[in-house]
Structures are given as C-alpha cells and as structure tokens.
Amino acid sequence: AVLFRTGCCALPTGSRASVQPVLRALLAAPWPSQRALRSWLQLLSVLQWVLSFLLLGIVSLLLLIYLVFTRFWPISALYLAWIIFDWDTPEKGGRRLPCLRQWCVWRHFRDYFPVKLVKTHDLSPSHNYIIGSHPHGILCVGAFCNFVTGSTGFGEMFPGIRPFLTTLAGNFRLPVFREYLMSGGLCPVTRRAIGYLLSKNGTGNAVAIVIGGAAESLSCRPGVTTLILKNRKGFVRMALQHGAYLVPSFSFGENDLFRQVVFEEGSWMRSIQRRFQKMMGFAPCVFYGRGLTSVRSRGFLPYARPITTVVGEPVTVPKIEEPSCEMVDMYHEMYVRSLLKLFNENKTKYGLSEADELRIL
C-alpha cells in the first residue's frame, strides 16, 4: 500500500480519500445562527435555575450523608461544623455576593421569558420597605429575577435600595443550597430575619415577601388571577412595628408559565395538598411545562411567556411598636387598595383585558 506521510503520521491513500469528503461535508454544514445560539443559552440558563431550586439541596444532603460512610467522611464533618457555626447567619442579613447577582447567566435567564421591571414611583434610601410580591405562581420567577438578580436593572431604577427576597426557612437548613440562596440576597421568611433587615441593617432595605405563599400556588393557572391576601396581615404588623413603608408589586404573566392540575376544594387530593402544606410549609403542586428539546413536549421547564413586574406607589407607614388590631386592619386595607389600583391601571398594558378582575381571598 502507498503511504501518505506528513511528519510522523502515515495514512493509506485510500483512507485519505475517504476522510476528505467527510471534512468537506463538515465545513459545508451550516453553523448555528446567533439567534439559535442565544435560544440555547437562554434555555440552559433556565434549566440550571430549575435544577438548582429543585435538586441542589436534596442532592447535596444525600452526597454528604454518603461521604460519611467513605474515607472522605472529614468533608461531611467539617461542613456540619461550619453549619453549626454559621447557623444564625441567614437570620442576620445573610451573606450576599454582588458578583453572583451580576452573573451573565441571569441576563440569558431574563431574556428567555423575557422578564421586565417597571418603576412607577421612587423609593427613598432614607426609608426601609416591605415589598408585597404578587402572585406566587409556581416558582416565583418574576420575584427571583427582579429582586435577586441584577439583570432587570433594579439597582439602576432604585439607587441606594438593597433588595432582599424571602423564602421558606427550611431551605436554609439544606447544605450548599443555603449558601447559594444567601449569596443572592435571599433570607428566611421569619419575623427574626425580616426584623433584622428592617431595624439593624440601616436604611435603604427592601424586603420582598411573596405574601400568598404556598396556599396561593395551589390556585395558580393561566387566565385566573386569585390572591390569598385577605387574612394575611402579619407583614402589615411588621411594617408598623419597624416603620417600613409598604410597596405593592404585581408580576403580570407569572401564572402563565406552567400548566397545573387544579383539584377542587373538598376533594381528597386537595385535602392532601393542604395537610402537606401545613406540615412542610410548601404545597405539592401537580404541574408541567415544556420539555428540553421541544416546546410541544411536556417537561418541568417553564414556558417562554413575558413577565412584567410593576412596582407600585409606597404606602407611608408610621412606626408603632405595639400596633392595635384596628391599626393593622386600616393599613392592610390601604395596601389592598393600592394593589388593586396598580393592577387595574396596568392590566391592559401587559396582556390582560379590561374585564379581568383581581380576586382577593
């Protein structure tokens, strides 16, 4: 056989002839367009976020338990010691990392839906604020993107204001996941953690609370705007105790990201969801979104639907250390009126019709 030599390599001429068409075919193949590449980056950014929130804590916990029974057990022992030493940090403002909030991955995450933040009034850095975030939806995409990441320009729109987002306290007991949450500015939705941010962290703090919580997620479905708010008054009492202004915000499009199987009130499945919610703090929703490879397949990724979060006018709140029930009711009613005004003034701008109403239960 005749050999073709280049340097130290030798290929039979027949093999060379068979490789050339393959190389020509590869060079002639169309490269992904910039638009297709951006779409994949956006999809991957959402995938990593969903997997992080659904699996990071549980997988980390199982891994540390597994390591206990191997020669790498000191890793688990050291991390356990660290958690004991660092136990109260989430309740004292956390440990936010500005660099993580500015990751380029969050810009791709924002553009997937896309998510947009709309400012209607200024927030003065000389005050503290409680921002009511509505609705809960399934995974609180709007609240996370606007108040945890810097991708929608919160810092530029509200200079001097540090946003924090509250979530279930149990999330901060999961290894590794707690570090991930704190680095983005999340804190437990407890009186102690919120009170610390509103009283011992200076001014210019905006604590976002998804007031409807797990109960509201059970009613989340496209075309229905129902909020669990009528008897949720603890955030108003805390605002009065610390003199924090109340700010309503509404994420239009949040309920359109997933399809949920909604069980009727009184059904046995609904009762199971309610009991699980009371025991664990969150509700097991039966929902689905799009698949990884196609929007027509079913999976756990949210659909690409636009989300517009509108931040409304602050409700001025005095500082009263021991507010009466009548005082709490009065400011709660003022907050609800401000939220309804915000919803009605913006609903037709962001995908709803004039006939759509906000139901408050």
Side-chain angles (χ1 to χ4, degrees):
V2 180
L3 298 180
F4 174 72
R5 298 181 180 276
T6 55
C8 297
C9 299
L11 288 174
T13 54
S15 298
R16 180 190 176 197
S18 63
V19 168
Q20 285 179 340
V22 175
L23 292 176
R24 283 197 295 267
L26 289 174
L27 293 174
W31 289 88
S33 65
Q34 290 187 353
R35 182 178 179 180
L37 185 59
R38 282 197 301 270
S39 296
W40 271 103
L41 288 174
Q42 292 167 10
L43 190 63
L44 290 175
S45 68
V46 174
L47 176 64
Q48 67 81 26
W49 178 77
V50 172
L51 291 179
S52 296
F53 269 82
L54 295 182
L55 299 178
L56 180 59
I58 298 299
V59 171
S60 299
L61 177 62
L62 294 176
L63 178 60
L64 288 175
I65 293 175
Y66 168 75
L67 292 178
V68 169
F69 302 98
T70 70
R71 59 176 178 165
F72 300 105
W73 64 266
I75 296 177
S76 298
L78 288 173
Y79 191 79
L80 177 61
W82 163 251
I83 286 184
I84 294 173
F85 173 79
D86 197 53
W87 190 259
D88 289 335
T89 299
E91 304 276 353
K92 297 180 178 180
R95 189 170 41 249
R96 61 196 295 149
L97 297 176
C99 59
L100 184 140
R101 292 172 57 87
Q102 301 300 327
W103 272 1
C104 63
V105 69
W106 301 131
R107 294 195 293 274
H108 297 302
F109 179 87
R110 171 202 64 194
D111 294 339
Y112 170 83
F113 298 96
V115 181
K116 181 182 178 183
L117 180 66
V118 175
K119 168 186 173 181
T120 61
H121 292 78
D122 291 329
L123 299 182
S124 171
S126 60
H127 299 289
N128 286 325
Y129 303 89
I130 290 180
I131 299 178
S133 180
H134 311 274
H136 183 285
I138 297 293
L139 293 179
C140 303
V141 172
F144 177 87
C145 193
N146 288 297
F147 303 129
V148 175
T149 80
S151 61
T152 57
F154 185 96
E156 292 73 27
M157 290 186 190
F158 303 101
I161 303 297
R162 295 181 297 275
F164 297 85
L165 179 63
T166 58
T167 186
L168 292 174
N171 289 330
F172 294 89
R173 306 311 178 211
L174 294 173
V176 182
F177 190 45
R178 68 190 297 274
E179 323 298 340
Y180 177 74
L181 294 177
M182 284 193 290
S183 63
L186 284 99
C187 64
V189 61
T190 61
R191 290 185 177 275
R192 182 184 177 192
I194 298 172
Y196 181 92
L197 293 172
L198 297 178
S199 63
K200 299 180 181 179
N201 200 43
T203 60
N205 301 293
V207 183
I209 304 175
V210 187
I211 297 169
E216 194 171 278
S217 67
L218 295 177
S219 301
C220 166
R221 53 182 169 179
V224 178
T225 310
T226 302
L227 303 183
I228 306 298
L229 179 59
K230 188 176 293 185
N231 296 318
R232 300 289 174 99
K233 300 179 181 179
F235 73 103
V236 178
R237 183 176 296 277
M238 290 207 69
L240 285 164
Q241 290 173 340
H242 298 284
Y245 290 7
L246 290 168
V247 183
S249 73
F250 195 92
S251 294
F252 294 90
E254 182 73 44
N255 285 350
D256 298 330
L257 304 182
F258 294 95
R259 302 290 183 267
Q260 182 181 184
V261 180
V262 179
F263 301 100
E264 297 297 328
E265 291 291 345
S267 65
W268 65 275
M269 279 298 297
R270 191 70 163 195
S271 63
I272 290 176
Q273 288 178 315
R274 294 292 188 191
R275 290 177 184 175
F276 195 93
Q277 173 197 333
K278 290 180 180 179
M279 290 188 297
M280 304 300 294
F282 65 94
C285 301
V286 181
F287 67 91
Y288 65 89
R290 60 157 292 178
L292 181 62
T293 58
S294 171
V295 294
R296 289 181 290 273
S297 61
R298 292 187 179 184
F300 55 88
L301 295 179
Y303 292 107
R305 303 285 187 269
I307 303 172
T308 303
T309 301
V310 184
V311 179
E313 181 179 5
V315 176
T316 303
V317 176
K319 184 175 182 179
I320 305 174
E321 292 186 2
E322 295 295 335
S324 64
C325 293
E326 292 76 13
M327 185 69 67
V328 172
D329 290 341
M330 183 180 73
Y331 279 94
H332 183 271
E333 185 178 349
M334 291 171 62
Y335 175 83
V336 171
R337 286 201 303 266
S338 182
L339 175 62
L340 288 170
K341 178 183 175 183
L342 173 71
F343 177 82
N344 290 323
E345 288 181 349
N346 292 277
K347 61 184 179 182
T348 57
K349 299 178 185 177
Y350 305 115
L352 300 180
S353 68
E354 189 65 40
D356 286 318
E357 295 182 356
L358 186 63
R359 296 177 57 206
I360 296 180
L361 302 178

